Structures are given as C-alpha cells and as structure tokens.
Amino acid sequence: MGSAKTLTEQILKFGVVGFAAFLVDYGVLMLLSQLFGMNAVLASGISFVVSCTFNYLASMRYVFRHREDMPRQREFTIFVVLSVVGLAINELIMWAGTAMAGESALAVTITKVIATAVVMVWNFLSRKRWLDADR
C-alpha cells in the first residue's frame, strides 16, 4: 500500500480531484438547467455522467496508478459502477437523513455533509481496492 506519506498525498490529490469533479457536476447542472432551461433531473443525470467521466480521467492520471492487468474499458466500467454505488449510498443517506431531521436548509445541509463524507470514504477505498495498481 505504500508509506503513510504516500497515502496522505494520494488522499489529498483525491480530495482535489473530487472537488474539481463537483465543480464540473454543478457547473454542467446549472448551465443546462438554468441557462438552457432543461429539466433539472435530466440535467443532473447528464452532469453526473460528465462529472464521472472527468473524475475517472483525472483520478486515473493524478491519484491512482493504472493496473497493467486491466484493460482501460474494464477500468472505466468498474469506475462507473463504483460511482453509481456511491450515488446510491448518497441517495439513501439523504432519504434517511431528511426523513428523520426534516427538509429545512440546516437539516438538508447537515445530511448532505454526512452523505458526502461517507461517499468520499467509499469512493476512495473502493477505487483503491479495485483500480489502483498500488493497492
């Protein structure tokens, strides 16, 4: 798995790439829904795909090392499946959190922060396990 310093650097790079992917996701969502008037749910689906593709390219370039025993197409497919699982975890936490705490701005914000933290851990550990050559 490498040294603690190497792992810390990898986690920090993961955070930067994740933040950039969020900006891509949010930017595409706002562009499509607000500027072009597209339905927000459809725009969110498109922005998720664009963001996931960006995240894959950036993660496999700057965060994780490509496994030589895995074709790129399979690597991307696994990345997308892991991302969809992360999306499902996010939705489950958002559903449970708002069911328990309500839908006030504070409740939604706290729930989203919790969901984001849990999904971030899932994304890093699952990608490290299944996609990183240095696992």
Side-chain angles (χ1 to χ4, degrees):
M1 186 183 259
S3 70
K5 180 182 178 201
T6 303
L7 184 60
T8 300
E9 289 172 358
Q10 190 177 33
I11 291 170
L12 289 173
K13 289 177 184 177
F14 179 80
V16 170
V17 167
F19 183 71
F22 165 78
L23 292 177
V24 169
D25 190 4
Y26 186 74
V28 171
L29 172 64
M30 290 295 109
L31 179 74
L32 294 176
S33 67
Q34 302 306 306
L35 189 61
F36 294 115
M38 184 181 283
N39 173 278
V41 174
L42 178 59
S44 180
I46 292 169
S47 70
F48 175 81
V49 170
V50 171
S51 174
C52 188
T53 302
F54 166 83
N55 198 330
Y56 166 74
L57 294 170
S59 288
M60 297 312 293
R61 169 128 170 103
Y62 298 109
V63 182
F64 302 111
R65 284 186 343 114
H66 171 69
R67 289 176 46 180
E68 295 301 323
D69 64 337
M70 184 181 301
R72 296 280 182 181
Q73 184 176 359
R74 182 166 184 238
E75 180 182 79
F76 181 70
T77 300
I78 291 170
F79 190 93
V80 169
V81 168
L82 297 176
S83 296
V84 170
V85 171
L87 178 62
I89 292 168
N90 175 79
E91 293 300 295
L92 181 62
I93 293 170
M94 290 301 296
W95 172 79
T98 56
M100 289 188 305
E103 294 189 22
S104 70
L106 180 60
V108 169
T109 299
I110 290 170
T111 303
K112 183 60 177 173
V113 167
I114 293 167
T116 299
V118 171
V119 171
M120 223 167 74
V121 170
W122 159 257
N123 284 341
F124 183 81
L125 293 177
S126 65
R127 291 171 186 170
K128 181 85 174 150
R129 165 67 177 93
W130 284 294
L131 297 174
D132 193 18
D134 294 333
R135 53 186 185 181

